[in-house]
Amino acid sequence: MPNRREFFKIVGTGAGLLLALDTRAAGAHQGMRSARPELRTFAPNAWVRIGSDDQIVIVVDKSEMGQGPLTTLPMLVAEELDADWDRLRIEQAPTARAYINPALGAEATGGSSSVRSSYLPLRTAGATTRLMLLQAAHRRTGIAYARLRTARGAVLLPDGQRLSYGALADAAAQLPVPRHVRLKSPRRFQIIGRPLPRLDTPAKITGSAVFGIDVQRPGLLIGVVRRPPMIGGHLLHYDDHVARAMAGVVRVARIDQGLGVIATDTWTAWKALDAIPMRWKDGDGARTSTHAIREGYRRAAGTEAAIAERRGDVRATLRRAPRVIAADYEIPFAAHAPLEPMNCTAHIHDGLCEISAPTQAQTGAQAIAAHLTGLPLDRVVVHTTLLGGGFGRRLEHDFIADAVTLARMVPQPVKVVWSREEDMTHDFYRPYSYHRVQGALDSHGMPIAWRQTIVAASLMRTRDPSAIKGGVDPTAVGGAVGMPYSIPNIEIGYVERDPKVPVGFWRSVADSYTAFVKESFLDELAHAAGRDPLALRYALLASEPAQRRVLKAAARAIGWDRPHARDQGLGVAVHRSFGTSMAQAASVSIRSGKLHIDRLVCVCDCGLVVNPNIARAQIEGAIVFGLQAALKGPITVEDSRIQQDNFDSYPLLRMDEMPRIDVHFLKNVRAPQGLGEPAVPPVAPALANAIFAASGIRVRTLPFPAIPSHA
């Protein structure tokens, strides 16, 4: 996160960029130019604009995909600005250097970074704006700063008069931007910490909210695409003479990996695409199957691994330990499966390329469009719509490329919408991973060694190979490296394998599988030693007070020490990811061979909570996502073809399958940490541990198999 000096360098550069943009490019972004030129605007930074009509605009530079940045981020600005919350207008940011996410190095939304990367920059933007308005009021009235106050969008004078921010905007705009400002103490917060209603809810209720798939433009054409049915395949030949003769078909054209049809409406486009015979050539993964991948990974787990972390002497300890426990864990491919399929609208005109898309990666979208069109970056305008789910899938640019490629063929705007089948079978899946784990116990039943070999694909191999150090991709071992448990001898190894299946950033990345292994295998060690799994965790977390606190609170809430029925089991898991410590406790019962999840408790230490309602909803949604991966799926491969192509073969969690969830936050005032992803990793291990407690069956693979009840 940048310090204040770095922040103002960014703000200064960003403001300059906004002013220097071509007027057509700036005007193409809704709200970047005033509809009333007579109004004067005070814009001291890239996030705040105050008009002489008292309109305050706060610009949000993170994509809205359900996690609430259109409300939480403005709360940070409004708190320090002392704005009137009921009179704000929120706008989505354009693509500009000012909006580069310091946590990701690009204008993008991911890594549970929206609030934690914006907490100081946006508060500073609000405080800077407020200070300049106070300076303007001081110059106008001659009243000392100490006698001026601000509240609800105005400077308050000692005699009770109000000078609205709009009335001071013109004068404030003439002042230099301060280099340093004082931020409020959390004790004085009036907006941050309140459960304010989401600002985007009314539009979503009325249907006026615009998701990518809702975009309309004059003369809009519809594009549909078909990609190879096999992984890595290529289009050899197609016959489009029937399709081209169909009324409403505008163009048939090759895209990067397949074929696209442009038509005047969706139905015509799909009928035309279905009428085109296509021949495909197998790719390098022609013989890829889940079975072959599993066997290859299993063998690789026995080979020498690159060392991601080493403490003490694991191998010597394993040789002489009184007892050694070993187990293999397997976590399958998983789809992102957002409800809104991939889509993008592109229009190339007047030397510009306009993109309207539900994207998590504006910088990448701009770059791929510039590459495909040959236009300079500043001639590519990205309009970010609402996202109907993201989970990391919309960090990719394949659907952007499809729309831009087809838009180059025609003068009109083209909206490309993938079918559900294309979306499901051409995902960038959560990597399949295989884990071989060994644990050593001393004569008192305490763990003294932990050796884990992780076999998985590298996410960075094709994205940024320089991130791979010593043969270790950090995105493949996150959550395993830096284990909080005070085990004196630890070795984490990594073996990279390419399964010939596209992989990508899936909500919580490696933590989604490393937490399952870590928390499940620690449970195995506890039971092997005859120890209470909760008590063992307490003992091993002596130097980790945050994780001890959330674990203790979760165990208390689930009733760990209370008696329970014979077929009922309790399980716990604790994990830290994206700066947040998260504990979950599960209560399950096994009846007639069927698993019943009775209750889940989640306790979170994520620092200061900006909006409790939104934070709770994020955690609940993340738990749903984790439950989905634990109970449903998986994605499988046969003859290099993805076997699941819609929600009938890759079912989502249904409402009647949702257990009761209780969410609790530990109060503190440290800076906010990640929240969108940390609740995913503990779900599966908490349930697996509860299943073992209820049935005596240890689950080491996902999704969970059918669990028989006690004999």
Side-chain angles (χ1 to χ4, degrees):
M1 185 175 290
N3 58 35
R4 288 190 186 124
R5 178 170 297 183
E6 292 167 337
F7 165 68
F8 282 117
K9 286 181 181 177
I10 293 172
V11 168
T13 304
L17 280 174
L18 288 174
L19 293 174
L21 281 173
D22 181 279
T23 55
R24 287 174 295 176
H29 189 278
Q30 183 179 359
M32 290 308 299
R33 300 179 69 192
S34 174
R36 296 170 58 190
E38 73 275 9
L39 294 177
R40 301 297 297 273
T41 301
F42 169 42
N45 50 63
W47 286 275
V48 183
R49 298 201 310 274
I50 301 177
S52 55
D53 61 348
D54 271 338
Q55 179 68 70
I56 299 178
V57 174
I58 296 179
V59 178
V60 173
D61 60 346
K62 302 298 189 295
S63 301
E64 166 57 61
M65 48 190 161
Q67 82 282 31
L70 294 179
T71 301
T72 53
L73 299 189
M75 288 174 70
L76 301 176
V77 179
E79 178 65 70
E80 297 288 348
L81 180 57
D82 283 339
D84 185 345
W85 180 255
D86 296 327
R87 299 189 62 189
L88 298 179
R89 193 170 87 235
I90 311 303
E91 289 184 2
Q92 189 75 46
T95 306
R97 185 177 173 185
Y99 304 113
I100 289 178
N101 184 336
L104 303 177
E107 187 174 343
T109 306
S112 294
S113 64
S114 291
V115 172
R116 61 182 173 140
S117 70
S118 302
Y119 183 62
L120 286 181
L122 292 190
R123 288 181 61 200
T124 304
T128 300
T129 306
R130 174 181 172 273
L131 178 57
M132 295 176 72
L133 292 163
L134 281 170
Q135 290 172 342
H138 164 71
R139 291 194 176 194
R140 176 177 295 187
T141 65
I143 299 172
Y145 290 116
R147 302 183 64 203
L148 298 174
R149 294 188 303 110
T150 54
R152 296 184 65 83
V155 175
L156 308 182
L157 307 185
D159 62 2
Q161 290 188 66
R162 295 176 77 259
L163 292 177
S164 72
Y165 286 170
L168 296 167
D170 194 20
Q174 313 307 314
L175 301 174
V177 177
R179 294 180 61 85
H180 302 287
V181 292
R182 184 186 299 274
L183 301 180
K184 287 183 181 180
S185 164
R187 293 190 299 272
R188 295 180 52 224
F189 286 166
Q190 297 180 349
I191 293 178
I192 293 176
R194 291 175 56 193
L196 298 176
R198 288 179 59 136
L199 297 177
D200 52 340
T201 296
K204 290 177 178 177
I205 291 174
T206 62
S208 61
V210 177
F211 293 80
I213 207 166
D214 299 323
V215 169
Q216 295 294 326
R217 296 285 185 270
L220 181 71
L221 299 174
I222 300 298
V224 297
V225 299
R226 183 148 297 156
R227 291 167 174 263
M230 71 289 292
I231 296 166
H234 302 281
L235 180 62
L236 282 179
H237 175 75
Y238 66 96
D239 182 354
D240 64 350
H241 76 277
V242 172
R244 284 188 290 108
M246 295 173 64
V249 172
V250 176
R251 190 75 181 263
V252 177
R254 284 182 179 263
I255 58 172
D256 178 41
Q257 287 186 302
L259 196 67
V261 170
I262 305 172
T264 53
D265 61 88
T266 305
W267 178 253
T268 299
W270 280 118
K271 293 297 289 183
L273 193 62
D274 288 340
I276 301 175
M278 303 177 201
R279 286 197 297 115
W280 304 92
K281 178 183 178 181
D282 286 340
D284 294 337
R287 298 179 181 272
T288 298
S289 70
T290 297
H291 175 74
I293 293 169
R294 178 186 296 115
E295 289 304 303
Y297 277 41
R298 183 181 61 80
R299 291 191 296 270
T303 64
E304 199 62 29
I307 301 302
E309 181 182 22
R310 180 178 279 150
R311 305 184 216 164
D313 191 338
V314 166
R315 302 187 189 199
T317 305
L318 288 170
R319 283 194 300 270
R320 61 173 180 259
R323 189 172 184 189
V324 174
I325 312 298
D328 284 11
Y329 283 79
E330 177 188 0
I331 294 89
F333 294 111
H336 294 85
L339 291 182
E340 180 189 23
M342 298 303 106
N343 66 88
C344 175
T345 300
H347 188 197
I348 301 170
H349 64 99
D350 301 320
L352 291 173
C353 176
E354 280 194 74
I355 294 169
S356 298
T359 177
Q360 292 179 243
Q362 290 79 5
T363 297
Q366 186 183 51
I368 194 69
H371 171 73
L372 291 172
T373 60
L375 293 170
L377 283 173
D378 62 359
R379 310 298 294 175
V380 177
V381 180
V382 178
H383 308 281
T384 305
T385 67
L386 298 176
L387 285 61
F391 318 123
R393 175 61 178 93
R394 299 184 201 273
L395 288 167
E396 310 294 343
H397 314 307
D398 47 351
F399 58 101
I400 306 287
D402 285 351
V404 174
T405 298
L406 293 183
R408 292 175 60 194
M409 310 291 179
V410 294
Q412 301 100 310
V414 177
K415 177 164 66 176
V416 169
V417 181
W418 286 20
S419 68
R420 178 63 61 194
E421 288 75 14
E422 290 291 324
D423 191 278
M424 190 72 74
T425 58
H426 294 87
D427 199 351
F428 291 81
Y429 306 95
R430 180 193 53 190
Y432 172 92
S433 65
Y434 197 94
H435 306 251
R436 182 154 294 166
V437 199
Q438 294 172 287
L441 300 172
D442 66 14
S443 57
H444 302 289
M446 289 297 290
I448 54 174
W450 180 295
R451 185 184 183 194
Q452 180 177 354
T453 299
I454 302 169
V455 185
S458 166
L459 297 182
M460 302 309 290
R461 178 62 62 189
T462 58
R463 292 169 172 85
D464 181 11
S466 66
I468 303 171
K469 307 293 185 185
V472 176
D473 182 342
T475 66
V477 298
V481 171
M483 185 184 301
Y485 296 120
S486 56
I487 301 172
N489 303 284
I490 292 178
E491 182 179 293
I492 308 297
Y494 171 61
V495 180
E496 180 185 341
R497 284 292 181 271
D498 179 5
K500 305 300 182 183
V501 175
V503 294
F505 293 95
W506 188 90
R507 196 173 190 177
S508 76
V509 202
D511 292 270
S512 72
Y513 52 76
T514 57
F516 175 62
V517 177
K518 172 177 69 73
E519 290 301 296
S520 297
F521 190 65
L522 189 72
D523 235 57
E524 292 202 52
L525 294 180
H527 286 287
R531 289 179 172 269
D532 177 81
L534 180 64
L536 180 61
R537 285 177 169 82
Y538 285 159
L540 295 176
L541 291 172
S543 60
E544 293 284 342
Q547 296 202 51
R548 277 178 62 96
R549 283 196 299 270
V550 293
L551 186 62
K552 184 176 182 179
R556 184 172 58 247
I558 204 70
W560 186 268
D561 295 324
R562 293 197 296 268
H564 49 270
R566 180 170 176 266
D567 279 345
Q568 183 184 19
L570 303 181
V572 293
V574 62
H575 191 71
R576 180 172 56 218
S577 59
F578 307 96
T580 290
S581 292
M582 191 84 70
Q584 290 184 24
S587 172
V588 308
S589 54
I590 312 292
R591 299 191 295 273
S592 302
K594 185 176 181 181
L595 172 66
H596 297 267
I597 305 173
D598 303 316
R599 186 177 170 218
L600 281 172
V601 171
C602 180
V603 179
C604 172
D605 181 357
C606 59
L608 187 146
V609 177
V610 176
N611 187 311
N613 281 353
I614 291 177
R616 181 172 290 103
Q618 281 200 71
I619 290 175
E620 292 169 348
I623 289 174
V624 172
F625 199 78
L627 283 171
Q628 161 70 33
L631 302 174
K632 306 287 186 176
I635 288 292
T636 57
V637 188
E638 189 63 42
D639 291 331
S640 200
R641 287 166 166 79
I642 301 298
Q643 299 299 290
Q644 295 73 30
D645 64 0
N646 211 315
F647 292 137
D648 58 341
S649 51
Y650 193 81
L652 300 185
L653 198 71
R654 302 179 70 90
M655 292 181 68
D656 61 356
E657 298 172 301
M658 190 65 193
R660 171 186 166 187
I661 296 177
D662 296 328
V663 177
H664 307 274
F665 297 97
L666 296 188
K667 292 184 178 180
N668 62 63
V669 294
R670 71 185 178 106
Q673 300 300 308
L675 201 57
E677 296 170 272
V680 174
V683 175
L687 286 174
N689 295 337
I691 288 170
F692 179 81
S695 67
I697 295 174
R698 177 60 63 183
V699 176
R700 298 190 183 98
T701 63
L702 297 178
F704 297 148
I707 308 295
S709 57
H710 282 299

